[in-house]
Amino acid sequence: MLDKAADQKEELIPYRGPTSPYALNEIFIQDAFANDDERLWMQMTPYSWSRPLCLNASQGYWVHLSKFRGDGVVSCHRHPAPVHGFIIKGGWRYLEHDWVATEGSYIFEPPGDIHTLVALPEVEESITLFHNTGALIYCDVDGNTKGYADVFTRIDGYAKHFEKVGLGADYVKNFIR
Ligand code: FE
């Protein structure tokens, strides 16, 4: 019979074996909402902000919190690679789909999905965690390409933002892996 007490004790011993010197450091963010430091939120439009969590330059994805207040819109875009989203607060919808995302909703946007995100007028503020892979390819309503965003344009954008608000451009490196 197993000695339960001894067994449990064993479970509580921190790992003490070897680790690879090539493994990257974890990213730990105590207060991802950055309630006490608005500088961590980069303004994207008059109604939307983005707060980086993980900018993965080696695999081409980025994870961030997206915040909307009032009439937020993310103009029409196409995804060549998957997106995962989780709505933490508030809600929004896509003009192209008939569902409405609300607090607690999860969404998988498959490669090829084209949509326009609009905030709900009755919602004061919404916060969504997005895991974006590849790019957002902005297009007009007929599918003609207008521009794009990827992890590198995001890194550039956040670096400029952090420089402007006094944290220094290198602050963005905290989120890059
Ligand atoms: Fe999207």
Side-chain angles (χ1 to χ4, degrees):
M1 203 176 142
L2 282 172
D3 183 338
K4 222 177 165 195
D7 228 40
Q8 281 175 347
K9 247 183 172 175
E10 178 94 4
E11 283 173 4
L12 295 175
I13 297 172
Y15 176 71
R16 59 192 173 197
T19 54
S20 170
Y22 303 108
L24 303 177
N25 290 331
E26 79 278 23
I27 296 175
F28 174 72
I29 297 170
Q30 184 78 58
D31 173 19
F33 297 128
N35 288 324
D36 58 351
D37 193 351
E38 284 287 315
R39 296 177 302 171
L40 297 177
W41 289 92
M42 173 174 74
Q43 190 151 16
M44 307 284 287
T45 71
Y47 313 101
S48 64
W49 292 261
S50 168
R51 190 258 193 265
L53 299 174
C54 177
L55 305 169
N56 201 299
S58 58
Q59 294 189 49
Y61 69 80
W62 69 103
V63 182
H64 71 122
L65 292 179
S66 186
K67 181 160 77 181
F68 299 98
R69 283 187 190 142
D71 304 322
V73 175
V74 179
S75 56
C76 191
H77 60 273
R78 180 179 198 278
H79 291 285
V83 177
H84 301 269
F86 185 83
I87 293 78
I88 294 166
K89 182 183 179 189
W92 46 263
R93 66 191 181 89
Y94 285 131
L95 296 180
E96 296 80 4
H97 294 292
D98 57 8
W99 43 261
V100 175
T102 53
E103 210 168 291
S105 298
Y106 162 78
I107 162 136
F108 168 64
E109 302 175 4
D113 212 45
I114 302 174
H115 47 235
T116 311
L117 187 156
V118 290
L120 304 176
E122 66 273 24
V123 170
E124 198 179 306
E125 180 181 275
S126 64
I127 297 177
T128 304
L129 183 143
F130 278 116
H131 178 302
N132 282 73
T133 312
L136 273 73
I137 300 171
Y138 295 103
C139 58
D140 67 17
V141 292
D142 297 312
N144 300 303
T145 299
K146 288 164 62 183
Y148 74 98
D150 64 9
V151 69
F152 302 106
T153 67
R154 288 300 158 102
I155 288 171
D156 288 347
Y158 293 126
K160 284 191 187 112
H161 166 75
F162 290 138
E163 181 69 28
K164 202 172 99 189
V165 298
L167 291 165
D170 275 357
Y171 193 81
V172 76
K173 290 180 180 170
N174 289 311
F175 311 106
I176 297 175
R177 290 294 185 273

PDB file of all heavy atoms in Angstrom, residues 74 77 79 83 94 109 113 115 117 130 132 136, ligand 1:
ATOM      1  N   VAL A  74     -13.050  47.309 -35.442  1.00  0.00           N
ATOM      2  CA  VAL A  74     -11.801  46.852 -36.056  1.00  0.00           C
ATOM      3  C   VAL A  74     -12.160  46.596 -37.511  1.00  0.00           C
ATOM      4  O   VAL A  74     -12.962  45.703 -37.816  1.00  0.00           O
ATOM      5  CB  VAL A  74     -11.247  45.564 -35.412  1.00  0.00           C
ATOM      6  CG1 VAL A  74      -9.965  45.126 -36.122  1.00  0.00           C
ATOM      7  CG2 VAL A  74     -10.983  45.779 -33.926  1.00  0.00           C
ATOM      8  N   HIS A  77     -11.089  42.678 -42.003  1.00  0.00           N
ATOM      9  CA  HIS A  77      -9.789  42.020 -42.203  1.00  0.00           C
ATOM     10  C   HIS A  77      -9.959  40.522 -42.393  1.00  0.00           C
ATOM     11  O   HIS A  77     -10.948  39.926 -41.999  1.00  0.00           O
ATOM     12  CB  HIS A  77      -8.844  42.328 -41.041  1.00  0.00           C
ATOM     13  CG  HIS A  77      -9.362  41.867 -39.707  1.00  0.00           C
ATOM     14  ND1 HIS A  77     -10.180  42.638 -38.937  1.00  0.00           N
ATOM     15  CD2 HIS A  77      -9.176  40.717 -39.028  1.00  0.00           C
ATOM     16  CE1 HIS A  77     -10.479  41.982 -37.828  1.00  0.00           C
ATOM     17  NE2 HIS A  77      -9.889  40.798 -37.852  1.00  0.00           N
ATOM     18  N   HIS A  79      -8.015  36.675 -42.015  1.00  0.00           N
ATOM     19  CA  HIS A  79      -6.980  35.942 -41.275  1.00  0.00           C
ATOM     20  C   HIS A  79      -6.456  34.788 -42.121  1.00  0.00           C
ATOM     21  O   HIS A  79      -7.215  33.885 -42.454  1.00  0.00           O
ATOM     22  CB  HIS A  79      -7.551  35.374 -39.971  1.00  0.00           C
ATOM     23  CG  HIS A  79      -7.881  36.416 -38.962  1.00  0.00           C
ATOM     24  ND1 HIS A  79      -6.932  37.067 -38.228  1.00  0.00           N
ATOM     25  CD2 HIS A  79      -9.075  36.932 -38.569  1.00  0.00           C
ATOM     26  CE1 HIS A  79      -7.520  37.928 -37.417  1.00  0.00           C
ATOM     27  NE2 HIS A  79      -8.820  37.877 -37.609  1.00  0.00           N
ATOM     28  N   VAL A  83      -7.010  32.319 -35.115  1.00  0.00           N
ATOM     29  CA  VAL A  83      -7.103  33.239 -33.981  1.00  0.00           C
ATOM     30  C   VAL A  83      -7.964  32.581 -32.906  1.00  0.00           C
ATOM     31  O   VAL A  83      -8.963  31.930 -33.231  1.00  0.00           O
ATOM     32  CB  VAL A  83      -7.785  34.569 -34.401  1.00  0.00           C
ATOM     33  CG1 VAL A  83      -7.959  35.498 -33.208  1.00  0.00           C
ATOM     34  CG2 VAL A  83      -7.012  35.255 -35.511  1.00  0.00           C
ATOM     35  N   TYR A  94     -19.448  40.538 -34.824  1.00  0.00           N
ATOM     36  CA  TYR A  94     -18.916  40.718 -36.158  1.00  0.00           C
ATOM     37  C   TYR A  94     -20.089  41.016 -37.080  1.00  0.00           C
ATOM     38  O   TYR A  94     -21.153  40.389 -36.965  1.00  0.00           O
ATOM     39  CB  TYR A  94     -18.226  39.437 -36.654  1.00  0.00           C
ATOM     40  CG  TYR A  94     -16.876  39.169 -36.025  1.00  0.00           C
ATOM     41  CD1 TYR A  94     -16.571  37.922 -35.505  1.00  0.00           C
ATOM     42  CD2 TYR A  94     -15.903  40.165 -35.976  1.00  0.00           C
ATOM     43  CE1 TYR A  94     -15.331  37.662 -34.941  1.00  0.00           C
ATOM     44  CE2 TYR A  94     -14.668  39.914 -35.411  1.00  0.00           C
ATOM     45  CZ  TYR A  94     -14.383  38.667 -34.901  1.00  0.00           C
ATOM     46  OH  TYR A  94     -13.159  38.425 -34.341  1.00  0.00           O
ATOM     47  N   GLU A 109     -11.311  31.698 -34.697  1.00  0.00           N
ATOM     48  CA  GLU A 109     -11.457  32.251 -36.041  1.00  0.00           C
ATOM     49  C   GLU A 109     -10.556  31.434 -36.951  1.00  0.00           C
ATOM     50  O   GLU A 109      -9.336  31.506 -36.837  1.00  0.00           O
ATOM     51  CB  GLU A 109     -11.049  33.728 -36.045  1.00  0.00           C
ATOM     52  CG  GLU A 109     -11.864  34.564 -35.072  1.00  0.00           C
ATOM     53  CD  GLU A 109     -11.405  36.017 -34.975  1.00  0.00           C
ATOM     54  OE1 GLU A 109     -10.495  36.418 -35.716  1.00  0.00           O
ATOM     55  OE2 GLU A 109     -11.974  36.746 -34.159  1.00  0.00           O
ATOM     56  N   ASP A 113     -11.179  33.309 -42.437  1.00  0.00           N
ATOM     57  CA  ASP A 113     -12.293  34.096 -41.930  1.00  0.00           C
ATOM     58  C   ASP A 113     -12.051  35.584 -42.216  1.00  0.00           C
ATOM     59  O   ASP A 113     -10.945  36.095 -42.044  1.00  0.00           O
ATOM     60  CB  ASP A 113     -12.460  33.875 -40.419  1.00  0.00           C
ATOM     61  CG  ASP A 113     -13.919  33.976 -39.984  1.00  0.00           C
ATOM     62  OD1 ASP A 113     -14.786  33.403 -40.677  1.00  0.00           O
ATOM     63  OD2 ASP A 113     -14.198  34.640 -38.958  1.00  0.00           O
ATOM     64  N   HIS A 115     -13.809  39.375 -41.387  1.00  0.00           N
ATOM     65  CA  HIS A 115     -14.836  39.967 -40.537  1.00  0.00           C
ATOM     66  C   HIS A 115     -14.498  41.391 -40.097  1.00  0.00           C
ATOM     67  O   HIS A 115     -13.362  41.841 -40.216  1.00  0.00           O
ATOM     68  CB  HIS A 115     -15.102  39.078 -39.311  1.00  0.00           C
ATOM     69  CG  HIS A 115     -13.849  38.621 -38.644  1.00  0.00           C
ATOM     70  ND1 HIS A 115     -13.563  37.297 -38.410  1.00  0.00           N
ATOM     71  CD2 HIS A 115     -12.787  39.314 -38.185  1.00  0.00           C
ATOM     72  CE1 HIS A 115     -12.382  37.206 -37.819  1.00  0.00           C
ATOM     73  NE2 HIS A 115     -11.895  38.414 -37.669  1.00  0.00           N
ATOM     74  N   LEU A 117     -15.151  43.772 -36.738  1.00  0.00           N
ATOM     75  CA  LEU A 117     -15.585  43.725 -35.335  1.00  0.00           C
ATOM     76  C   LEU A 117     -16.207  45.053 -34.930  1.00  0.00           C
ATOM     77  O   LEU A 117     -15.614  46.111 -35.144  1.00  0.00           O
ATOM     78  CB  LEU A 117     -14.379  43.397 -34.455  1.00  0.00           C
ATOM     79  CG  LEU A 117     -14.606  43.127 -32.968  1.00  0.00           C
ATOM     80  CD1 LEU A 117     -13.471  42.277 -32.413  1.00  0.00           C
ATOM     81  CD2 LEU A 117     -14.761  44.408 -32.170  1.00  0.00           C
ATOM     82  N   PHE A 130      -6.964  38.046 -27.150  1.00  0.00           N
ATOM     83  CA  PHE A 130      -6.814  37.470 -28.489  1.00  0.00           C
ATOM     84  C   PHE A 130      -5.448  36.829 -28.642  1.00  0.00           C
ATOM     85  O   PHE A 130      -4.431  37.405 -28.224  1.00  0.00           O
ATOM     86  CB  PHE A 130      -6.949  38.546 -29.571  1.00  0.00           C
ATOM     87  CG  PHE A 130      -8.360  38.895 -29.933  1.00  0.00           C
ATOM     88  CD1 PHE A 130      -8.846  40.175 -29.697  1.00  0.00           C
ATOM     89  CD2 PHE A 130      -9.200  37.958 -30.527  1.00  0.00           C
ATOM     90  CE1 PHE A 130     -10.151  40.514 -30.041  1.00  0.00           C
ATOM     91  CE2 PHE A 130     -10.503  38.290 -30.874  1.00  0.00           C
ATOM     92  CZ  PHE A 130     -10.978  39.571 -30.631  1.00  0.00           C
ATOM     93  N   ASN A 132      -3.471  35.879 -31.779  1.00  0.00           N
ATOM     94  CA  ASN A 132      -3.459  36.037 -33.236  1.00  0.00           C
ATOM     95  C   ASN A 132      -2.226  35.381 -33.831  1.00  0.00           C
ATOM     96  O   ASN A 132      -1.115  35.670 -33.390  1.00  0.00           O
ATOM     97  CB  ASN A 132      -3.385  37.522 -33.609  1.00  0.00           C
ATOM     98  CG  ASN A 132      -4.697  38.226 -33.467  1.00  0.00           C
ATOM     99  OD1 ASN A 132      -5.147  38.492 -32.356  1.00  0.00           O
ATOM    100  ND2 ASN A 132      -5.331  38.527 -34.576  1.00  0.00           N
ATOM    101  N   LEU A 136      -3.224  40.058 -39.662  1.00  0.00           N
ATOM    102  CA  LEU A 136      -4.550  40.556 -40.011  1.00  0.00           C
ATOM    103  C   LEU A 136      -4.313  41.248 -41.346  1.00  0.00           C
ATOM    104  O   LEU A 136      -3.463  42.149 -41.436  1.00  0.00           O
ATOM    105  CB  LEU A 136      -5.054  41.620 -39.025  1.00  0.00           C
ATOM    106  CG  LEU A 136      -5.807  41.179 -37.762  1.00  0.00           C
ATOM    107  CD1 LEU A 136      -4.835  40.561 -36.782  1.00  0.00           C
ATOM    108  CD2 LEU A 136      -6.517  42.352 -37.143  1.00  0.00           C
TER     109      LEU A 136
HETATM  110 FE    FE B   1     -10.154  39.052 -36.563  1.00  0.00          FE
END
